[in-house]
Amino acid sequence: MPELPEVEAARRAIEENCLGKKIKRAIIANDSKVIEGVSSVDFESALLGKTIVSAHRKGKNLWLHLDSPPFPSFQFGMAGAIYIKGVAVTKYKRSAVKDNDEWPSKYSKFFVELDDGLELSFTDKRRFARVRLLKDPTSVPPISELGPDALFEPMTINEFTDSLSKKKIGIKALLLDQSYISGIGNWIADEVLYQARIHPLQICSSLSKENCATLHNCIKEVIEKAVEVGADSSQFPSNWIFHSREKKPGKAFVDGKKIDFINAGGRTSAYVPELQKLSGTVATKAAGKPTKQASKKKGGDEAEDNDDDEDGVGDEPTNEEEESTKITKPKKGGNPRGRGRKPPMKRKAKESDDDDDDDDSGGNNDGSSEEDDEDLTEKGRKVKTNTSNKQAKTVKTSKRPVSSQDGKKPKRAK
């Protein structure tokens, strides 16, 4: 979050309340992590006296067209939100401003006052958003790298079906790829796949024409409905999985059917096993492992904790079939004589398993960390060193004559 409907609601609010008005005051936060490529002073001076001509959106990005360039653009990230003082704009889980909070909010990154007194603010509590000042926002990343907008530029059914037939990756991973379709994030992908009765890990090329047509229709219906109600989730249909996808495993149900949580496309994904069956060659390989990882999830907020990566166009979608069959093997070339190599190898194999688990959880750490990895590596070195020292001592000792009751010579150290 936010996804296409939330950003579209913000665009429409600006369009309805701010067009044709001149910017008479501007306050840009001194936050180089969010305000990208320009100082706050230069940003402010570039806005003053300009008139807002129109508001545009592609995918999860929004920009204001002024009467002359450059133009401010907004990549919403995980918690970016547009607020207009005195105007109801859709609020969602991670937006920061409440009606009784200070104004402008302490989380405001972009604030302008218009010539009629109306005030507009873009806030970002978690600082994953990006606000830029660009001569042509559509000609540079991230907007230039986006695929067709899911609302404004939908593929035809034939185009959609043909494109899916050529993709050898999981369907949810593809839907999250902003270079394929822009605007679909984690909750929309879960919703359309549930409505279409398609498993999130189903390989795209294995989908039937009927599956493709149903999914195409569900994408259209879910997005249009969410936009129609201004992205107000309280008005989403009661039979949507959306309302239960953040509940804890074992307590999440939709229409009386249990919701399970797995990893698909690097994201925590809600689906209904009874209705969304995994078929084909990946069915036996990919079904069990993600469910095991899901048992580690606490549900709730973790379902959305990775939403920031939805905005990353460059992320390669995961090949679920390859991931499901990947086996970690110990490296070859170890010391054939030294027994000190064995403990590190065992630790490394375990370490690799932990890494795979982390990958399956979309970056959420389920008990391992880089520090843990370093500790394991260091322990491996100590084991090797200690063993080598023992071997050296044994060899040195064996050179001295040693008597024994049976008169046998001591064995050479191996």
Side-chain angles (χ1 to χ4, degrees), residues 100-153:
N100 57 353
D101 283 352
E102 61 181 314
W103 179 267
S105 166
K106 63 182 178 180
Y107 302 116
S108 178
K109 305 300 178 182
F110 173 99
F111 170 87
V112 293
E113 180 182 355
L114 306 181
D115 55 6
D116 67 344
L118 195 66
E119 296 175 351
L120 179 148
S121 173
F122 177 83
T123 69
D124 178 29
K125 183 176 182 179
R126 302 190 67 181
R127 300 177 68 218
F128 285 108
R130 297 292 180 267
V131 180
R132 304 175 177 95
L133 188 65
L134 303 170
K135 183 176 181 180
D136 180 8
T138 63
S139 67
V140 295
I143 298 174
S144 65
E145 297 177 346
L146 295 176
D149 184 82
L151 177 65
F152 294 149
E153 307 163 302

Side-chain angles (χ1 to χ4, degrees), residues 2-15:
E3 301 180 21
L4 187 155
E6 290 81 12
V7 182
E8 178 62 14
R11 187 197 70 80
R12 292 186 180 189
I14 294 172
E15 193 173 63

Side-chain angles (χ1 to χ4, degrees), residues 302-313:
E302 291 194 24
E304 294 296 339
D305 275 349
N306 292 329
D307 276 356
D308 177 54
D309 63 13
E310 291 171 11
D311 289 318
V313 177

